[in-house]
PDB file of all heavy atoms in Angstrom:
ATOM      1  N   GLU E 128    -119.421  61.970-193.879  1.00  0.00           N
ATOM      2  CA  GLU E 128    -119.594  61.206-195.120  1.00  0.00           C
ATOM      3  C   GLU E 128    -118.854  59.873-195.086  1.00  0.00           C
ATOM      4  O   GLU E 128    -119.172  58.963-195.839  1.00  0.00           O
ATOM      5  CB  GLU E 128    -119.107  62.026-196.318  1.00  0.00           C
ATOM      6  CG  GLU E 128    -120.048  63.150-196.701  1.00  0.00           C
ATOM      7  CD  GLU E 128    -119.663  63.770-198.030  1.00  0.00           C
ATOM      8  OE1 GLU E 128    -118.459  63.899-198.307  1.00  0.00           O
ATOM      9  OE2 GLU E 128    -120.569  64.112-198.803  1.00  0.00           O
ATOM     10  N   GLY E 129    -117.826  59.784-194.235  1.00  0.00           N
ATOM     11  CA  GLY E 129    -117.162  58.499-194.020  1.00  0.00           C
ATOM     12  C   GLY E 129    -115.947  58.206-194.875  1.00  0.00           C
ATOM     13  O   GLY E 129    -115.234  57.239-194.626  1.00  0.00           O
ATOM     14  N   ASP E 130    -115.646  59.023-195.887  1.00  0.00           N
ATOM     15  CA  ASP E 130    -114.468  58.782-196.721  1.00  0.00           C
ATOM     16  C   ASP E 130    -113.506  59.947-196.561  1.00  0.00           C
ATOM     17  O   ASP E 130    -113.741  61.038-197.086  1.00  0.00           O
ATOM     18  CB  ASP E 130    -114.880  58.633-198.193  1.00  0.00           C
ATOM     19  CG  ASP E 130    -113.681  58.462-199.116  1.00  0.00           C
ATOM     20  OD1 ASP E 130    -112.582  58.164-198.608  1.00  0.00           O
ATOM     21  OD2 ASP E 130    -113.845  58.624-200.340  1.00  0.00           O
ATOM     22  N   LEU E 131    -112.398  59.714-195.836  1.00  0.00           N
ATOM     23  CA  LEU E 131    -111.460  60.807-195.551  1.00  0.00           C
ATOM     24  C   LEU E 131    -110.522  61.096-196.715  1.00  0.00           C
ATOM     25  O   LEU E 131    -109.883  62.146-196.744  1.00  0.00           O
ATOM     26  CB  LEU E 131    -110.637  60.485-194.297  1.00  0.00           C
ATOM     27  CG  LEU E 131    -111.425  60.329-192.991  1.00  0.00           C
ATOM     28  CD1 LEU E 131    -110.478  60.199-191.812  1.00  0.00           C
ATOM     29  CD2 LEU E 131    -112.371  61.498-192.765  1.00  0.00           C
ATOM     30  N   GLY E 132    -110.392  60.173-197.663  1.00  0.00           N
ATOM     31  CA  GLY E 132    -109.528  60.408-198.826  1.00  0.00           C
ATOM     32  C   GLY E 132    -108.093  60.706-198.442  1.00  0.00           C
ATOM     33  O   GLY E 132    -107.502  61.687-198.903  1.00  0.00           O
ATOM     34  N   ILE E 133    -107.502  59.852-197.595  1.00  0.00           N
ATOM     35  CA  ILE E 133    -106.161  60.108-197.044  1.00  0.00           C
ATOM     36  C   ILE E 133    -105.066  59.830-198.072  1.00  0.00           C
ATOM     37  O   ILE E 133    -105.073  58.804-198.732  1.00  0.00           O
ATOM     38  CB  ILE E 133    -105.909  59.220-195.801  1.00  0.00           C
ATOM     39  CG1 ILE E 133    -106.975  59.496-194.724  1.00  0.00           C
ATOM     40  CG2 ILE E 133    -104.509  59.444-195.238  1.00  0.00           C
ATOM     41  CD1 ILE E 133    -107.006  58.463-193.614  1.00  0.00           C
ATOM     42  N   VAL E 134    -104.127  60.776-198.190  1.00  0.00           N
ATOM     43  CA  VAL E 134    -102.899  60.526-198.957  1.00  0.00           C
ATOM     44  C   VAL E 134    -101.699  60.924-198.093  1.00  0.00           C
ATOM     45  O   VAL E 134    -101.780  61.850-197.292  1.00  0.00           O
ATOM     46  CB  VAL E 134    -102.868  61.305-200.299  1.00  0.00           C
ATOM     47  CG1 VAL E 134    -103.954  60.825-201.235  1.00  0.00           C
ATOM     48  CG2 VAL E 134    -102.999  62.813-200.075  1.00  0.00           C
ATOM     49  N   GLU E 135    -100.589  60.186-198.257  1.00  0.00           N
ATOM     50  CA  GLU E 135     -99.337  60.553-197.578  1.00  0.00           C
ATOM     51  C   GLU E 135     -98.633  61.614-198.410  1.00  0.00           C
ATOM     52  O   GLU E 135     -98.552  61.503-199.626  1.00  0.00           O
ATOM     53  CB  GLU E 135     -98.424  59.326-197.431  1.00  0.00           C
ATOM     54  CG  GLU E 135     -98.863  58.374-196.346  1.00  0.00           C
ATOM     55  CD  GLU E 135     -97.827  57.272-196.092  1.00  0.00           C
ATOM     56  OE1 GLU E 135     -96.666  57.435-196.534  1.00  0.00           O
ATOM     57  OE2 GLU E 135     -98.186  56.266-195.475  1.00  0.00           O
ATOM     58  N   LYS E 136     -98.085  62.635-197.737  1.00  0.00           N
ATOM     59  CA  LYS E 136     -97.337  63.673-198.450  1.00  0.00           C
ATOM     60  C   LYS E 136     -95.846  63.319-198.453  1.00  0.00           C
ATOM     61  O   LYS E 136     -95.313  62.870-199.448  1.00  0.00           O
ATOM     62  CB  LYS E 136     -97.597  65.046-197.829  1.00  0.00           C
ATOM     63  CG  LYS E 136     -99.042  65.504-198.033  1.00  0.00           C
ATOM     64  CD  LYS E 136     -99.228  66.992-197.814  1.00  0.00           C
ATOM     65  CE  LYS E 136     -99.163  67.356-196.338  1.00  0.00           C
ATOM     66  NZ  LYS E 136     -99.513  68.768-196.094  1.00  0.00           N
ATOM     67  N   THR E 137     -95.167  63.506-197.337  1.00  0.00           N
ATOM     68  CA  THR E 137     -93.725  63.216-197.290  1.00  0.00           C
ATOM     69  C   THR E 137     -93.402  61.950-196.509  1.00  0.00           C
ATOM     70  O   THR E 137     -92.361  61.350-196.700  1.00  0.00           O
ATOM     71  CB  THR E 137     -92.957  64.391-196.665  1.00  0.00           C
ATOM     72  OG1 THR E 137     -93.457  64.616-195.331  1.00  0.00           O
ATOM     73  CG2 THR E 137     -93.140  65.657-197.482  1.00  0.00           C
ATOM     74  N   CYS E 138     -94.310  61.554-195.582  1.00  0.00           N
ATOM     75  CA  CYS E 138     -94.081  60.352-194.780  1.00  0.00           C
ATOM     76  C   CYS E 138     -95.394  59.935-194.130  1.00  0.00           C
ATOM     77  O   CYS E 138     -96.416  60.602-194.293  1.00  0.00           O
ATOM     78  CB  CYS E 138     -93.010  60.606-193.704  1.00  0.00           C
ATOM     79  SG  CYS E 138     -93.503  61.849-192.495  1.00  0.00           S
ATOM     80  N   SER E 139     -95.343  58.841-193.353  1.00  0.00           N
ATOM     81  CA  SER E 139     -96.582  58.278-192.789  1.00  0.00           C
ATOM     82  C   SER E 139     -97.228  59.160-191.734  1.00  0.00           C
ATOM     83  O   SER E 139     -98.390  58.970-191.383  1.00  0.00           O
ATOM     84  CB  SER E 139     -96.305  56.891-192.199  1.00  0.00           C
ATOM     85  OG  SER E 139     -95.359  57.001-191.156  1.00  0.00           O
ATOM     86  N   THR E 140     -96.475  60.146-191.189  1.00  0.00           N
ATOM     87  CA  THR E 140     -97.079  61.057-190.211  1.00  0.00           C
ATOM     88  C   THR E 140     -97.448  62.404-190.847  1.00  0.00           C
ATOM     89  O   THR E 140     -97.972  63.283-190.185  1.00  0.00           O
ATOM     90  CB  THR E 140     -96.141  61.307-189.014  1.00  0.00           C
ATOM     91  OG1 THR E 140     -94.902  61.837-189.495  1.00  0.00           O
ATOM     92  CG2 THR E 140     -95.884  60.034-188.235  1.00  0.00           C
ATOM     93  N   ASP E 141     -97.134  62.570-192.135  1.00  0.00           N
ATOM     94  CA  ASP E 141     -97.438  63.809-192.851  1.00  0.00           C
ATOM     95  C   ASP E 141     -98.557  63.506-193.851  1.00  0.00           C
ATOM     96  O   ASP E 141     -98.311  63.114-194.987  1.00  0.00           O
ATOM     97  CB  ASP E 141     -96.180  64.311-193.573  1.00  0.00           C
ATOM     98  CG  ASP E 141     -96.388  65.685-194.202  1.00  0.00           C
ATOM     99  OD1 ASP E 141     -97.376  66.366-193.848  1.00  0.00           O
ATOM    100  OD2 ASP E 141     -95.565  66.070-195.052  1.00  0.00           O
ATOM    101  N   LEU E 142     -99.783  63.682-193.379  1.00  0.00           N
ATOM    102  CA  LEU E 142    -100.944  63.236-194.147  1.00  0.00           C
ATOM    103  C   LEU E 142    -101.758  64.412-194.689  1.00  0.00           C
ATOM    104  O   LEU E 142    -101.696  65.528-194.177  1.00  0.00           O
ATOM    105  CB  LEU E 142    -101.848  62.365-193.267  1.00  0.00           C
ATOM    106  CG  LEU E 142    -101.203  61.146-192.597  1.00  0.00           C
ATOM    107  CD1 LEU E 142    -102.214  60.456-191.701  1.00  0.00           C
ATOM    108  CD2 LEU E 142    -100.647  60.187-193.634  1.00  0.00           C
ATOM    109  N   GLN E 143    -102.531  64.100-195.731  1.00  0.00           N
ATOM    110  CA  GLN E 143    -103.493  65.061-196.259  1.00  0.00           C
ATOM    111  C   GLN E 143    -104.807  64.311-196.483  1.00  0.00           C
ATOM    112  O   GLN E 143    -104.798  63.162-196.919  1.00  0.00           O
ATOM    113  CB  GLN E 143    -102.984  65.634-197.581  1.00  0.00           C
ATOM    114  CG  GLN E 143    -103.884  66.701-198.189  1.00  0.00           C
ATOM    115  CD  GLN E 143    -103.527  66.948-199.648  1.00  0.00           C
ATOM    116  OE1 GLN E 143    -103.968  66.234-200.543  1.00  0.00           O
ATOM    117  NE2 GLN E 143    -102.705  67.954-199.881  1.00  0.00           N
ATOM    118  N   THR E 144    -105.917  64.942-196.144  1.00  0.00           N
ATOM    119  CA  THR E 144    -107.222  64.320-196.347  1.00  0.00           C
ATOM    120  C   THR E 144    -108.075  65.180-197.276  1.00  0.00           C
ATOM    121  O   THR E 144    -107.721  66.313-197.607  1.00  0.00           O
ATOM    122  CB  THR E 144    -107.986  64.165-195.014  1.00  0.00           C
ATOM    123  OG1 THR E 144    -108.353  65.476-194.546  1.00  0.00           O
ATOM    124  CG2 THR E 144    -107.155  63.443-193.956  1.00  0.00           C
ATOM    125  N   LYS E 145    -109.214  64.620-197.642  1.00  0.00           N
ATOM    126  CA  LYS E 145    -110.192  65.369-198.438  1.00  0.00           C
ATOM    127  C   LYS E 145    -110.586  66.661-197.712  1.00  0.00           C
ATOM    128  O   LYS E 145    -110.814  67.702-198.334  1.00  0.00           O
ATOM    129  CB  LYS E 145    -111.418  64.479-198.660  1.00  0.00           C
ATOM    130  CG  LYS E 145    -112.514  65.089-199.496  1.00  0.00           C
ATOM    131  CD  LYS E 145    -113.677  64.104-199.640  1.00  0.00           C
ATOM    132  CE  LYS E 145    -114.837  64.716-200.399  1.00  0.00           C
ATOM    133  NZ  LYS E 145    -115.977  63.773-200.466  1.00  0.00           N
ATOM    134  N   ALA E 146    -110.632  66.602-196.369  1.00  0.00           N
ATOM    135  CA  ALA E 146    -111.000  67.796-195.587  1.00  0.00           C
ATOM    136  C   ALA E 146    -109.939  68.886-195.714  1.00  0.00           C
ATOM    137  O   ALA E 146    -110.271  70.072-195.841  1.00  0.00           O
ATOM    138  CB  ALA E 146    -111.208  67.419-194.115  1.00  0.00           C
ATOM    139  N   ASP E 147    -108.636  68.501-195.674  1.00  0.00           N
ATOM    140  CA  ASP E 147    -107.559  69.483-195.881  1.00  0.00           C
ATOM    141  C   ASP E 147    -107.744  70.176-197.225  1.00  0.00           C
ATOM    142  O   ASP E 147    -107.640  71.407-197.327  1.00  0.00           O
ATOM    143  CB  ASP E 147    -106.187  68.790-195.896  1.00  0.00           C
ATOM    144  CG  ASP E 147    -105.783  68.175-194.571  1.00  0.00           C
ATOM    145  OD1 ASP E 147    -106.206  67.036-194.291  1.00  0.00           O
ATOM    146  OD2 ASP E 147    -105.052  68.830-193.823  1.00  0.00           O
ATOM    147  N   ARG E 148    -107.984  69.361-198.257  1.00  0.00           N
ATOM    148  CA  ARG E 148    -108.062  69.892-199.621  1.00  0.00           C
ATOM    149  C   ARG E 148    -109.266  70.816-199.801  1.00  0.00           C
ATOM    150  O   ARG E 148    -109.135  71.941-200.294  1.00  0.00           O
ATOM    151  CB  ARG E 148    -108.102  68.732-200.630  1.00  0.00           C
ATOM    152  CG  ARG E 148    -106.834  67.881-200.601  1.00  0.00           C
ATOM    153  CD  ARG E 148    -106.805  66.839-201.703  1.00  0.00           C
ATOM    154  NE  ARG E 148    -107.707  65.712-201.501  1.00  0.00           N
ATOM    155  CZ  ARG E 148    -107.434  64.623-200.787  1.00  0.00           C
ATOM    156  NH1 ARG E 148    -106.277  64.523-200.143  1.00  0.00           N
ATOM    157  NH2 ARG E 148    -108.301  63.627-200.685  1.00  0.00           N
ATOM    158  N   LEU E 149    -110.440  70.351-199.402  1.00  0.00           N
ATOM    159  CA  LEU E 149    -111.656  71.156-199.574  1.00  0.00           C
ATOM    160  C   LEU E 149    -111.626  72.423-198.720  1.00  0.00           C
ATOM    161  O   LEU E 149    -112.029  73.505-199.178  1.00  0.00           O
ATOM    162  CB  LEU E 149    -112.894  70.336-199.221  1.00  0.00           C
ATOM    163  CG  LEU E 149    -113.290  69.225-200.195  1.00  0.00           C
ATOM    164  CD1 LEU E 149    -114.494  68.463-199.659  1.00  0.00           C
ATOM    165  CD2 LEU E 149    -113.605  69.796-201.579  1.00  0.00           C
ATOM    166  N   ALA E 150    -111.153  72.301-197.473  1.00  0.00           N
ATOM    167  CA  ALA E 150    -111.114  73.468-196.581  1.00  0.00           C
ATOM    168  C   ALA E 150    -110.146  74.519-197.117  1.00  0.00           C
ATOM    169  O   ALA E 150    -110.428  75.719-197.060  1.00  0.00           O
ATOM    170  CB  ALA E 150    -110.727  73.047-195.168  1.00  0.00           C
ATOM    171  N   GLN E 151    -109.006  74.077-197.651  1.00  0.00           N
ATOM    172  CA  GLN E 151    -108.060  75.065-198.198  1.00  0.00           C
ATOM    173  C   GLN E 151    -108.647  75.772-199.415  1.00  0.00           C
ATOM    174  O   GLN E 151    -108.529  76.987-199.536  1.00  0.00           O
ATOM    175  CB  GLN E 151    -106.721  74.433-198.565  1.00  0.00           C
ATOM    176  CG  GLN E 151    -105.800  75.464-199.227  1.00  0.00           C
ATOM    177  CD  GLN E 151    -104.346  75.165-199.098  1.00  0.00           C
ATOM    178  OE1 GLN E 151    -103.861  74.836-198.025  1.00  0.00           O
ATOM    179  NE2 GLN E 151    -103.620  75.268-200.192  1.00  0.00           N
ATOM    180  N   VAL E 152    -109.257  75.021-200.316  1.00  0.00           N
ATOM    181  CA  VAL E 152    -109.882  75.648-201.493  1.00  0.00           C
ATOM    182  C   VAL E 152    -110.937  76.664-201.045  1.00  0.00           C
ATOM    183  O   VAL E 152    -111.008  77.788-201.555  1.00  0.00           O
ATOM    184  CB  VAL E 152    -110.517  74.586-202.424  1.00  0.00           C
ATOM    185  CG1 VAL E 152    -111.377  75.245-203.493  1.00  0.00           C
ATOM    186  CG2 VAL E 152    -109.430  73.737-203.068  1.00  0.00           C
ATOM    187  N   SER E 153    -111.735  76.280-200.053  1.00  0.00           N
ATOM    188  CA  SER E 153    -112.782  77.169-199.535  1.00  0.00           C
ATOM    189  C   SER E 153    -112.184  78.455-198.955  1.00  0.00           C
ATOM    190  O   SER E 153    -112.607  79.567-199.299  1.00  0.00           O
ATOM    191  CB  SER E 153    -113.598  76.438-198.466  1.00  0.00           C
ATOM    192  OG  SER E 153    -114.525  77.317-197.863  1.00  0.00           O
ATOM    193  N   ILE E 154    -111.179  78.295-198.087  1.00  0.00           N
ATOM    194  CA  ILE E 154    -110.578  79.462-197.419  1.00  0.00           C
ATOM    195  C   ILE E 154    -109.891  80.381-198.428  1.00  0.00           C
ATOM    196  O   ILE E 154    -110.153  81.589-198.478  1.00  0.00           O
ATOM    197  CB  ILE E 154    -109.563  79.009-196.345  1.00  0.00           C
ATOM    198  CG1 ILE E 154    -110.268  78.277-195.199  1.00  0.00           C
ATOM    199  CG2 ILE E 154    -108.802  80.223-195.795  1.00  0.00           C
ATOM    200  CD1 ILE E 154    -109.317  77.524-194.272  1.00  0.00           C
ATOM    201  N   CYS E 155    -108.992  79.803-199.229  1.00  0.00           N
ATOM    202  CA  CYS E 155    -108.186  80.626-200.137  1.00  0.00           C
ATOM    203  C   CYS E 155    -109.026  81.281-201.223  1.00  0.00           C
ATOM    204  O   CYS E 155    -108.836  82.457-201.555  1.00  0.00           O
ATOM    205  CB  CYS E 155    -107.051  79.798-200.732  1.00  0.00           C
ATOM    206  SG  CYS E 155    -105.861  79.243-199.476  1.00  0.00           S
ATOM    207  N   SER E 156    -109.986  80.536-201.762  1.00  0.00           N
ATOM    208  CA  SER E 156    -110.849  81.100-202.818  1.00  0.00           C
ATOM    209  C   SER E 156    -111.757  82.192-202.262  1.00  0.00           C
ATOM    210  O   SER E 156    -111.961  83.235-202.893  1.00  0.00           O
ATOM    211  CB  SER E 156    -111.696  79.999-203.463  1.00  0.00           C
ATOM    212  OG  SER E 156    -110.865  78.998-204.011  1.00  0.00           O
ATOM    213  N   SER E 157    -112.305  81.959-201.080  1.00  0.00           N
ATOM    214  CA  SER E 157    -113.195  82.954-200.464  1.00  0.00           C
ATOM    215  C   SER E 157    -112.443  84.243-200.157  1.00  0.00           C
ATOM    216  O   SER E 157    -112.938  85.349-200.408  1.00  0.00           O
ATOM    217  CB  SER E 157    -113.820  82.383-199.186  1.00  0.00           C
ATOM    218  OG  SER E 157    -114.591  81.228-199.461  1.00  0.00           O
TER     219      SER E 157
END
């Protein structure tokens, strides 16, 4: 889709993307 939706968590090497968020919701909810 081309939009990773990157956010920094604790520092510039500790990142979270839209894929992290969606995959976790999918795994944990399932």
